[in-house]
Structures are given as structure tokens and as C-alpha cells.
Amino acid sequence: MSGAGGTTAARQATGSGDIPVDTPRVPAREAAESELSKPMYHENDPNILQRGLNHFWDWVAGVFDAAAGAAPGGPAGLAVLALILIGLAAALWWRLGTPQRSSRTPDALFESDGPRSAAQHRAAADAHAAALRWTEAVQERMRAIVRSLEERALLDPRPGRTADEAATEAGRALPGHAARLRSAARNFDDVTYGGRTAGQPTYLALRTLDTELDEAKPVLPGASRGAAG
């Protein structure tokens, strides 16, 4: 009787849960997904922007990994190639300058609308003077002076040259006019960049200087030494 009772007790114990009860997979997965979908589990999740950035950097890392695998020497070879490319880019920038950079400096003498002859600048200056536009007349007459010196090969044509630079260089070849050339350059800068207004006397002085320079003979390098010997 005790044996039968023991067997019955064992069965009851077994039926009471000592052996785990298997739960079907699909309901268990759904229950887990439902539980994990609760907001309490997502308080620290990254936002949309962060997730996008994470995906982007993962993609960049993948690209570099692929490049490192294809480059000779692996990652070290890729680093060398990157340095070479950076060096080439720096050399191009140094040689060509920044894209779409104008060759005209902020205080350049000539405009960037294409070269004009000394005669054309003189005609423009006379037209401005006839209309009493003295500031524009002074500007064009100074340009005529410098262009005329370039046409006579007393100055090398150089884009971006300033009035001061032109006066200094021309004064070496025409020392007798050096002081007046520097004064003309200052007048040009004053009315062009200094906000001053030119008058008739300034223009007439420039016109006279232009006429005298056109007739002046340059002092050639070594001429004084030759004369002294």
C-alpha cells in the first residue's frame, strides 16, 4: 500500500511542475517582442540622426577596409597612397591657386575686363575730362601712363601690378621723373581706393606727366658707369 501511495505521490509531484513545461516557439517569440517593445527598454536608444551617422561611419569604415585589402601592403600601403594624394593636391593648389581666383589684386592698377592700349586709355581719360568726371579721368590717365611704359618695354607687362609698383619700377628707368611718378601713383590710389575726389588740377598734372614721359629717354643700366669710364 505504501508502494502504491509512493507512486501516486511521485506522479502528483511530477504533475505539479518538477518537469519544465515546453512553450511553443512562436508564442514565446511574440511575447518577447511585445515585452522588448515597451518604452522602458528604449529610453537610451540613439535618435534618427545618430543612427544615420552610425550607418554612415560604418559605410566609411567598410570602404577603407576594402581599400586597405586591395592596396599593396594593406593598411600601411593605403596610408602611403593617401599621403601621396594629399601631396599632389597641395602641389596643385600651390601651383594653380584656389579655384576661380582672380589674377587681379584688390589694389591692382588695371581692371580685369581685358587689356587696352595706351591710346585707348588716353581717349577714355579725355572723354571723362570733357564730361568733368575728374576722378575717372585721373584713373584712365594713370593707366595710360603705365600702359605706354609697357608698350615701350620700359616696364614688363604684369597682371595685378599696383600703381605704386609701376611708379617704383618706372622710376629706375626714368629717374628724372621718379618723384612725379610716385605722386601720380598716390593720387591714383587716393581717388580709387581712398574715397577721395579728384579735381581738374590733378588731372592736368597727370596729362602733362604723360606727355613728358612719352618723350623722355630712359637711363639704361650701366650707362653712368660707361660715361664715367
Side-chain angles (χ1 to χ4, degrees):
M1 185 174 182
S2 60
T7 302
T8 302
R11 291 177 178 175
Q12 289 176 352
T14 301
S16 64
D18 288 345
I19 299 177
V21 179
D22 292 336
T23 304
R25 290 184 178 179
V26 174
R29 184 178 62 190
E30 293 176 349
E33 292 176 350
S34 177
E35 178 67 20
L36 293 175
S37 66
K38 293 180 180 179
M40 61 181 293
Y41 295 107
H42 302 279
E43 293 178 353
N44 298 321
D45 286 357
N47 56 35
I48 296 176
L49 178 60
Q50 291 172 331
R51 291 198 297 270
L53 288 175
N54 290 338
H55 286 305
F56 171 75
W57 289 120
D58 289 342
W59 175 80
V60 171
V63 170
F64 275 97
D65 288 342
L78 179 62
V80 172
L81 290 176
L83 290 176
I84 292 174
L85 291 176
I86 293 173
L88 289 174
L92 287 174
W93 180 86
W94 180 263
R95 179 66 179 86
L96 302 177
T98 54
Q100 299 180 350
R101 185 179 63 181
S102 173
S103 61
R104 181 175 181 268
T105 57
D107 54 351
L109 179 64
F110 293 102
E111 300 291 341
S112 58
D113 55 353
R116 291 190 292 170
S117 67
Q120 290 175 314
H121 284 296
R122 290 185 180 115
D126 290 339
H128 287 306
L132 305 182
R133 295 189 294 266
W134 302 115
T135 295
E136 291 83 354
V138 165
Q139 292 171 328
E140 288 298 323
R141 182 60 67 167
M142 184 63 190
R143 289 167 181 149
I145 289 174
V146 175
R147 185 67 77 203
S148 176
L149 294 173
E150 291 178 348
E151 291 173 353
R152 295 173 60 192
L154 298 181
L155 289 177
D156 293 329
R158 188 174 76 242
R161 175 189 277 124
T162 66
D164 287 333
E165 292 171 344
T168 300
E169 294 171 17
R172 299 190 188 105
L174 301 166
H177 298 82
R180 294 170 65 192
L181 281 166
R182 290 193 298 269
S183 177
R186 285 194 298 271
N187 289 330
F188 176 86
D189 289 341
D190 287 344
V191 301
T192 305
Y193 310 110
R196 296 185 182 182
T197 302
Q200 183 180 16
T202 302
Y203 173 71
L204 293 178
L206 267 180
R207 189 177 68 179
T208 300
L209 176 62
D210 185 19
T211 301
E212 293 179 4
L213 289 174
D214 200 40
E215 299 172 353
K217 295 182 179 181
V219 176
L220 300 178
S224 58
R225 291 195 300 269

